[in-house]
Amino acid sequence: MTTIGLVRHGVTDWNQEGRMQGKNDIPLNAEGRRQAELLGKRMEGEEWDYIYSSNLARARETADIIARHMGKQVAGYDPLLAERSFGNLEGTTEQERISRWGPDWKNVDHGGETREAVIERGMRLLEEIERRHPGKRVLLVSHGALIGALVETLFPDFGYLGLKNTCVNVLEKSSEGWSCRLHNCVKHLEDGTSCG
């Protein structure tokens, strides 16, 4: 069985401002670094064979902090793990989007990456990781739109749930297909809580 952990990066200033980041290379802020440190401490007690990250700074720094706590090196910074491109929406808040494109801004073509393209890219990555590291435990540090699209595709009964910064999702691939052992877990940020 191959186990894949999907981790969302720590928080950034743009996250806190409600701005769409997409491909913009926004770094973690102080709170994001604190979240990543807490996640790194949590991961010290877990066994992961490999760590990969998106090539964007907010994910790279999150992965580097986790790897340091685990005494490992990040195996690679893969653009396939990067956030979805949102085209003209990048850098805008919801109020700015409504001002520019009206209340139906979601129905306008903004020149970004389609959800279908994100899913195809993400599934290709999962297949590649499984082929490269069969039977291993692989941690992938990525972004909300990509992780969310993958989880919703593999487990449609989950419905939409906004993924928290530094959340951990653990997927397992066996001969019977995919299962989800952990979803949107941030117990490292919430003292005394546990995740199923």
Side-chain angles (χ1 to χ4, degrees):
M1 181 167 55
T2 303
T3 301
I4 294 181
L6 293 167
V7 172
R8 187 181 179 203
H9 61 81
V11 75
T12 69
D13 286 342
W14 278 23
N15 284 140
Q16 292 179 326
E17 294 166 11
R19 294 188 183 280
M20 278 201 183
Q21 294 178 113
K23 299 291 187 184
N24 282 277
D25 208 7
I26 309 303
L28 296 179
N29 62 18
E31 174 61 12
R33 288 184 199 95
R34 185 188 77 84
Q35 291 174 335
E37 290 287 348
L38 290 171
L39 178 56
K41 287 177 185 171
R42 168 187 174 176
M43 292 291 188
E44 286 173 357
E46 299 185 14
E47 289 296 324
W48 293 95
D49 298 301
Y50 299 94
I51 304 170
Y52 290 91
S53 172
S54 156
N55 60 332
L56 296 175
R58 56 195 184 269
R60 278 197 333 259
E61 188 174 1
T62 302
D64 290 343
I65 290 170
I66 294 168
R68 177 171 44 79
H69 277 276
M70 297 176 72
K72 293 186 174 291
Q73 296 290 319
V74 176
Y77 301 95
D78 195 329
L80 288 178
L81 280 166
E83 180 59 295
R84 176 181 180 181
S85 166
F86 291 102
N88 295 329
L89 297 176
E90 292 188 7
T92 65
T93 64
E94 183 160 11
Q95 189 53 53
E96 289 168 343
R97 294 190 284 276
I98 291 170
S99 295
R100 291 183 196 178
W101 298 289
D104 292 332
W105 61 267
K106 290 181 182 177
N107 299 320
V108 175
D109 181 3
H110 298 283
E113 189 177 13
T114 66
R115 188 171 187 277
E116 293 73 25
V118 172
I119 292 167
E120 189 277 330
R121 171 164 61 93
M123 292 303 291
R124 184 163 30 107
L125 176 73
L126 291 183
E127 290 166 8
E128 182 180 314
I129 292 292
E130 186 187 7
R131 188 169 48 251
R132 190 185 310 162
H133 303 299
K136 299 295 185 182
R137 293 175 54 82
V138 183
L139 196 64
L140 306 176
V141 181
S142 187
H143 305 266
L146 177 65
I147 296 170
L150 284 174
V151 170
E152 288 174 42
T153 299
L154 292 170
F155 311 102
D157 291 346
F158 282 17
Y160 176 76
L161 179 64
L163 295 173
K164 299 171 186 169
N165 288 98
T166 68
C167 70
V168 179
N169 305 269
V170 178
L171 313 182
E172 295 176 337
K173 177 69 181 293
S174 68
S175 57
E176 297 174 8
W178 288 100
S179 61
C180 184
R181 193 161 53 80
L182 204 58
H183 182 231
N184 206 15
C185 179
V186 288
K187 69 181 181 181
H188 51 284
L189 303 181
E190 300 166 357
D191 292 340
T193 63
S194 61
C195 299

